[in-house]
């Protein structure tokens, strides 16, 4: 999988992509992440990437030219499955969307700033608009990092234990069951006996029951859409 991320703040993405799981995924050549500085595509002599909003509302708007030129130069090289725009008014990112996107080959992700990008880009080149939640960030970079992480960790070979993404919260519209590690008794705080029984069937039943109970208690909305 190849991800091309367009931003005016490329440095903001260095941290998340150059550490831990995302770094290892790139080193193992399971994915390529390319960050592009939108400013370097600006034909303006001052490398401007924004301008005043028509109609006079407050805040600057990101201009069409540098973003369109950057997207077009990428699309000349290869076909992209989606051109995604990170925006608080997009569809809210959920696990099923991350699953769906993890099966794609090439994705472009555009990070907005100020009041956002010129709406004509949204009408003409953006194929998917995603939000990571009902709150407003200073820019789309952190949202793009969240989206990227949620996708890349699902690629085969990225996680050491192949099954661990399958047992994540949300994979069956259920929260994950509680987990414990050694010591089995920490000054009287004990691990549930069943987990130490060695009875795999019983353990699985307990975990399924805990997942269901925790979901009912903490996130009943996840169960509402069930068949
Ligand atoms: N840009 C600013 N806020 C955002 C959000 N909540 N989700 C995605 N992109 C954003």
């Amino acid at each position: 999988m190849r991800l091309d991320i367009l931003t005016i703040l490329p440095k903001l993405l260095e941290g998340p992509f150059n550490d831990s799981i995302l770094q290892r995924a790139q080193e193992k050549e399971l994915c390529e992440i390319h960050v592009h500085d939108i400013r370097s595509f600006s034909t303006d002599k001052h490398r401007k990437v924004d301008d005043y909003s028509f109609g006079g509302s407050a805040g600057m708007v990101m201009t069409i030219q540098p973003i369109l030129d950057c997207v077009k130069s990428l699309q000349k090289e290869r076909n992209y499955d989606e051109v995604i725009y990170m925006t608080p008014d997009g569809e809210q990112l959920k696990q099923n969307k991350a699953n769906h996107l993890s099966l794609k080959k090439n994705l472009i992700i555009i990070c907005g700033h100020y009041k956002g990008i010129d709406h004509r880009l949204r009408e003409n080149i953006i194929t998917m608009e995603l939000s990571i939640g009902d709150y407003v960030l200073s820019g789309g970079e952190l949202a793009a990092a969240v989206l990227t992480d949620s996708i890349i960790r699902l690629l085969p070979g990225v996680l050491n234990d192949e099954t661990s993404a399958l047992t994540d919260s949300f994979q069956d519209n259920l929260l994950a069951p509680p987990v414990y590690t050694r010591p089995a008794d920490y000054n009287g705080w004990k691990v549930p006996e069943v987990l130490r029984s060695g009875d795999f069937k019983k353990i699985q039943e307990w975990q399924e029951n805990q997942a269901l109970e925790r979901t009912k208690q903490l996130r009943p909305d996840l169960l509402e859409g069930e068949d």
Side-chain angles (χ1 to χ4, degrees), residues 130-177:
L130 290 179
S131 161
I132 63 162
D134 286 343
Y135 39 83
V136 179
L137 303 167
S138 315
E141 286 73 15
L142 298 180
V146 167
L147 174 65
T148 302
D149 188 294
S150 74
I151 294 171
I152 300 295
R153 64 192 299 285
L154 297 173
L155 300 179
V158 169
L159 296 183
N160 291 330
D161 178 354
E162 285 281 350
T163 62
S164 72
L166 297 175
T167 55
D168 284 341
S169 282
F170 305 115
Q171 279 298 8
D172 302 315
N173 272 352
L174 289 176
L175 301 181

Side-chain angles (χ1 to χ4, degrees), residues 194-195 199-209:
V194 58
L195 295 179
D199 183 335
F200 180 70
K201 195 163 165 275
K202 255 199 195 154
I203 292 173
Q204 209 175 12
E205 271 170 21
W206 181 88
Q207 287 173 329
E208 283 168 8
N209 188 44

Side-chain angles (χ1 to χ4, degrees), residues 33-225:
I33 304 174
H34 299 270
V35 177
H36 306 275
D37 185 350
I38 292 170
R39 209 172 283 284
S40 69
F41 286 84
S42 173
T43 52
D44 178 79
K45 62 174 184 275
H46 303 296
R47 302 213 308 159
K48 246 171 80 103
V49 291
D50 61 332
D51 212 332
Y52 295 100
S53 153
F54 274 115
S57 48
M60 303 295 272
V61 176
M62 290 175 76
T63 55
I64 295 176
Q65 180 272 315
I67 293 173
L68 187 59
D69 283 3
C70 182
V71 169
K72 277 192 170 162
S73 77
L74 290 168
Q75 285 174 330
K76 231 185 332 188
E77 298 299 318
R78 64 196 68 77
N79 284 326
Y80 283 87
D81 299 290
E82 301 285 356
V83 181
I84 302 169
Y85 175 47
M86 303 310 299
T87 173
D89 57 8
E91 179 186 343
Q92 197 158 325
L93 176 64
K94 297 272 170 66
Q95 188 62 47
N96 61 0
K97 184 68 77 182
N99 294 347
H100 167 81
L101 290 172
S102 74
L103 302 173
K104 303 292 182 193
K105 196 157 178 278
N106 300 311
L107 299 173
I108 291 177
I109 303 174
I110 300 175
C111 308
H113 261 269
Y114 318 118
K115 284 285 161 198
I117 61 175
D118 189 302
H119 201 73
R120 289 166 289 182
L121 286 168
R122 298 174 71 165
E123 288 169 336
N124 291 291
I125 62 158
I126 302 295
T127 60
M128 182 181 285
E129 300 189 328
L130 290 179
S131 161
I132 63 162
D134 286 343
Y135 39 83
V136 179
L137 303 167
S138 315
E141 286 73 15
L142 298 180
V146 167
L147 174 65
T148 302
D149 188 294
S150 74
I151 294 171
I152 300 295
R153 64 192 299 285
L154 297 173
L155 300 179
V158 169
L159 296 183
N160 291 330
D161 178 354
E162 285 281 350
T163 62
S164 72
L166 297 175
T167 55
D168 284 341
S169 282
F170 305 115
Q171 279 298 8
D172 302 315
N173 272 352
L174 289 176
L175 301 181
V179 292
Y180 303 86
T181 186
R182 287 184 292 186
D185 183 340
Y186 190 92
N187 294 340
W189 293 352
K190 293 198 175 76
V191 170
E193 207 53 53
V194 58
L195 295 179
R196 302 176 60 210
S197 67
D199 183 335
F200 180 70
K201 195 163 165 275
K202 255 199 195 154
I203 292 173
Q204 209 175 12
E205 271 170 21
W206 181 88
Q207 287 173 329
E208 283 168 8
N209 188 44
Q210 287 285 315
L212 190 59
E213 285 309 313
R214 281 174 59 75
T215 309
K216 275 187 196 160
Q217 208 171 60
L218 301 170
R219 290 293 307 276
D221 57 299
L222 292 177
L223 299 169
E224 273 158 25

